[in-house]
Amino acid sequence: MADRSLSSKAFWATIVGGMLTGMGNGSVFGAATMCLVGRGSFNNWGGDGHLAFDPTSFSGFVDWCMIIFGIAYVIILAISMTRHGALEAQARG
């Protein structure tokens, strides 16, 4: 049986862990930004239906921050798992 790489073994853990961590950090970033700039520049709250994901609305901005941070963390975890797996393979032989 072929030895699978670390990144393939941890595929779902990378996606789930990266999105949860990234979206949590994105929500904190969005909330801090909202506290800094206030709601003045956002004419619409945007919390209902498709407006919840409109980046020009108040809640849409926070939602997009969470999505972007989540994707970024998945990419960071995938790179780190690949590099760690290469180091383990190099140490094995």
Side-chain angles (χ1 to χ4, degrees):
M1 186 170 168
D3 195 21
R4 290 179 20 194
S5 67
L6 180 62
S7 57
S8 67
K9 289 179 187 176
F11 178 76
W12 288 110
T14 300
I15 291 177
V16 172
M19 284 303 286
L20 287 175
T21 303
M23 290 184 84
N25 289 335
S27 68
V28 172
F29 174 79
T33 304
M34 291 295 113
C35 288
L36 180 67
V37 300
R39 192 177 153 190
S41 61
F42 295 96
N43 295 330
N44 190 356
W45 175 64
D48 190 24
H50 74 285
L51 290 174
F53 295 101
D54 180 9
T56 61
S57 68
F58 184 71
S59 70
F61 174 77
V62 176
D63 289 345
W64 274 104
C65 285
M66 292 184 348
I67 291 168
I68 290 169
F69 272 63
I71 292 169
Y73 269 72
V74 168
I75 292 168
I76 290 168
L77 275 176
I79 290 169
S80 65
M81 289 290 182
T82 302
R83 290 185 179 177
H84 185 75
L87 287 174
E88 281 186 354
Q90 183 182 14
R92 264 187 260 139

